[in-house]
Amino acid sequence: MSEMDVRVLFVACVLPVMVLGFQDGAGAQACLNLIPVHDGTTANTTQAPYSITVNATSIKQGTTVTVTLNATAADGYFKGFLVQARCTKCTTADTAIVPGTFAKYTASDDTIKTKTCAGAEKNSMTHTSRSMKTSAVFTWTAPSNFDVSQGVKFRATIVKDKPIWWTNVASQEISITGTNSAPHVAPVVAVVMAFSILGSSLLA
């Protein structure tokens, strides 16, 4: 095998792995630790210029909450992300993926997609391309048999550009109650933010 053949083989083998971690959604390697496959980079340690808000701090088993990922800087944007619901009071606190179901808030939104991690369908949400985005809105439905003694936070890794990314961006905690309990609506500021985002053309 010539030196040129070796170089071509190396590129053919390595390039798909690098692209898997960014171009069309988070790779499978990122599922458990929320760390993207970006060779030679580490998470940014400054305050993340992003927020995750929810429209309710308490929902019933089997019901849905709206989740908004937003760039908070005036000229902020992101190109990639991976969001999961994580258990906050489990024995593996903040590391256990809660097996709920994500979905697009707007069916026609082609900037985001659901992802299957660790064998559970649609338990994560990610990007579809490396286009610049200022927000993403989606929903999450809690398991109908969720242990009501546990809590949930939405945790994300967000990529601004391939070398620049933040991990452990989190929402406020939400509780899952039994089907006979009344849901608790989140503070008005979160609701206003969600509707203002939906009313804009940022996801166009």
Side-chain angles (χ1 to χ4, degrees):
M1 182 180 292
S2 68
E3 182 178 349
M4 179 62 71
D5 290 336
V6 171
R7 289 177 179 176
V8 170
L9 180 59
F10 175 82
V11 172
C13 291
V14 173
L15 187 57
V17 176
M18 295 173 65
V19 170
L20 181 65
F22 184 66
Q23 186 172 357
D24 59 354
Q29 300 95 325
C31 278
L32 296 182
N33 60 9
L34 293 176
I35 301 299
V37 184
H38 297 172
D39 292 347
T41 68
T42 57
N44 199 305
T45 57
T46 62
Q47 179 68 35
Y50 307 102
S51 66
I52 302 176
T53 57
V54 292
N55 72 334
T57 54
S58 177
I59 61 173
K60 297 178 182 180
Q61 295 166 322
T63 62
T64 298
V65 62
T66 299
V67 185
T68 301
L69 169 60
N70 194 42
T72 55
D75 57 349
Y77 66 89
F78 55 92
K79 292 184 177 180
F81 70 92
L82 178 63
V83 175
Q84 295 173 344
R86 292 293 182 109
C87 180
T88 59
K89 297 173 183 172
C90 302
T91 53
T92 52
D94 298 333
T95 61
I97 304 174
V98 178
T101 304
F102 282 97
K104 297 179 180 181
Y105 186 91
T106 303
S108 59
D109 184 357
D110 61 0
T111 66
I112 61 176
K113 65 180 180 180
T114 58
K115 180 176 179 60
T116 295
C117 276
E121 291 188 2
K122 301 180 179 180
N123 66 350
S124 305
M125 183 65 74
T126 191
H127 57 283
T128 59
S129 73
R130 56 187 177 186
S131 62
M132 294 172 62
K133 300 169 260 300
T134 55
S135 64
V137 184
F138 39 90
T139 64
W140 181 79
T141 302
S144 59
N145 61 345
F146 186 79
D147 182 353
V148 296
S149 68
Q150 310 300 339
V152 171
K153 279 188 178 182
F154 295 98
R155 294 192 176 275
T157 289
I158 305 171
V159 178
K160 181 176 183 180
D161 291 296
K162 193 170 182 179
I164 307 171
W165 51 276
W166 287 261
T167 191
N168 204 32
V169 180
S171 71
Q172 64 191 114
E173 185 174 349
I174 66 172
S175 60
I176 314 297
T177 63
T179 54
N180 293 325
S181 302
H184 180 261
V185 177
V188 175
V189 63
V191 179
V192 171
M193 181 179 293
F195 278 110
S196 64
I197 292 169
L198 292 174
S200 69
S201 59
L202 295 178
L203 289 179

